[in-house]
Amino acid sequence: MKIKDIRHLTQSFANWQKAVKSNQFDLSEFSRSLVDYMHQAQTKTQSYITILPPAEINKKLQAAVKSNKPLLGWPFSMKDIFITKGIKTTASSKILQDFVPNYDSTIHQRLSRLGGTLTAKTNSDAWGFGASTENSDFYSSKNPYDTNKVPGGSSGGSAASVAMGLSAFDIAEDTGGSIRQPAAFCGLIGFKPTYGSISRYGAIAFSSSLDTVGLIGRDIKDIVWLFNQVKGPDQKDATVYPDQKPTKIYPASRLKAKKIGYIPGFLDENVQPDIISHFHKVKDFYTNNFNIEFVEINMPHFDYGLAVYYILAPAEASSNLARYDGLRYGRSRDQFGHEAIRRILLGNFALASGYYDAYYLKALKVRRLIYQDFIQAFKKVDALLLPATPTTAFDLGEKSQDPLQMYLNDIFTIPPSLAGVPGISFPTGFDSQGLPVSLQLVGPHFSEGLLAGLILAWQQSIKPYLNYPNLP
Amino acid sequence: MIKIDDNLLNYLFNLARIPASRLSLVQKQKLKKDLNTILGYINKLNKLDTSSVKPFHRPYPLEDIGHDDQPDPSSQTPIKFANQKDGYLIVNRIIDKDNED
């Protein structure tokens, strides 16, 4: 099959469903071609840790179609931090490089029951620690729009695979921006729902008060449909919010006269001019088409988000990673990569007697101030429009030697994570170098329907889901 | 402002159960520099008076969930390790031959 035919099938579920129902293509030929393209892409973008064999993919596709499962075999990838029974699961780390689990994560189990077909496990920064995939213990992934640039991170391989049209969607996890930032760098929708929406059972833990399972995809309608299928209570995860209602995308009529806030101080010297001009383009679109009022919002503690995050996240990570003790998973702790060691030491520092009050406790208190900023903001406005990232995709190696510069890349995605509110990054076009530009909409807890309605309206105007890089 | 020196760095390695001896001097110096840069940035939190603020742990309260004990069939998939042989895990020798009984 030609790549354009594969892309047509992965672009939207409606395309896939129509083609499957009318027998427009041969499933086994599709499986072979898809895997061929993934291997071809791997030589250029190194997006994958594991690509499943075509025979296995074909078997699952045939079974899902035959039994008329809701997803009809629609092929997806997963970040390699999700436990998959019988399939190697590494967290892109050397410590787990040979780990083949004998149980399944809830999210993989649910998607399998719905008839989704897992085709690949994708590369990321090891344990989710990073914003570029350069901290993978195996190799750095590349941005398919320009292989000299990073695809973002930590879920960089995930975003690259969806961007090339080789995954219909990807299941990833966002702790401080790991879904929204790579999706932004690769021109996709990065969907981080409210903390506690989707079960994390079987997601290799990084920072338990922040880790949020979400999706990277092309079409907000498909993403919300999938979200409704996989979210909700799980007896194996006490952090899932129990009383979740189905998310309904707001129709255009309900967007009229809504209020959107923005933080004026964050639209100046630290943000790439292309992103600021896209911000105004989107603002004008909402104002002109839906009479939406834009309101300046003062969030005095937003700027402290990064400092809070780099105490709390390493502290929780140092505890979560204590289980890799060299016995239960076989490999010694000196095999942690440089960034993992840095974060484990930082976490131990913040939790150590003598430093706990000044660092860990202080960060917990400032986290409340940030949370209150969001609660106060959402009394005045329905949502916030923010940049997703300060710049578009940066060069490989540009920030890898300077951890603080790398961390600063998450300055817009971290505060919503600390407050546990949903944030969705969405593509707005391209910059002068031809790299994707994105913005981010943030709303109150469980406001995904409103955010998705706003994004759907924008998506219908510029159709970003039709954009593809030249690879593979 | 707290600076991480060699002593504190070694203390943290010990707390973290990471053998510092396996890292080169250059790696350790880089780690120390990076940690001090990060702590320098984090110190901006001291500008805020938080004496009357309660710590915040999660966006909403956790509720315990429970379920009845239900036996599941045992997994038929054996756990695979790279370093296994005849059902045993092969690990590095930790006792010198001289010290064997």
Side-chain angles (χ1 to χ4, degrees), chain A residues 332-374:
Chain A
S332 147
R333 287 173 72 76
D334 63 347
Q335 295 202 18
F336 278 123
H338 201 77
E339 180 64 22
I341 291 179
R342 192 156 46 214
R343 294 201 194 197
I344 292 170
L345 296 185
L346 192 57
N348 274 283
F349 170 80
L351 293 171
S353 172
Y355 305 112
Y356 180 94
D357 285 356
Y359 288 89
Y360 186 70
L361 190 61
K362 180 85 184 180
L364 287 177
K365 290 179 171 187
V366 181
R367 186 176 183 184
R368 178 171 298 281
L369 297 176
I370 293 167
Y371 171 79
Q372 285 169 345
D373 276 0
F374 278 96

Side-chain angles (χ1 to χ4, degrees), chain A residues 85 98 102 195-196 234-235 238 241 303-304 306 311 333-334 342 348 362 364-365 367-368 371 401, chain B residues 2 16-17 22 30 34 41-45 48 50 53-57 60 62 65 67 77 82:
Chain A
K85 187 175 177 177
D98 312 303
N102 66 343
Y195 173 83
D234 177 11
Q235 290 195 328
Y241 194 76
D303 190 33
Y304 293 94
L306 194 72
I311 295 173
R333 287 173 72 76
D334 63 347
R342 192 156 46 214
N348 274 283
K362 180 85 184 180
L364 287 177
K365 290 179 171 187
R367 186 176 183 184
R368 178 171 298 281
Y371 171 79
Q401 291 307 308
Chain B
I2 293 163
R17 300 285 186 267
R22 306 263 182 99
K30 167 91 170 91
D34 290 346
Y41 179 83
I42 284 171
N43 276 327
K44 73 193 281 185
L45 295 180
L48 296 171
T50 52
V53 182
K54 286 184 185 164
F56 180 90
H57 295 276
Y60 41 80
L62 269 185
I65 56 168
H67 57 90
T77 316

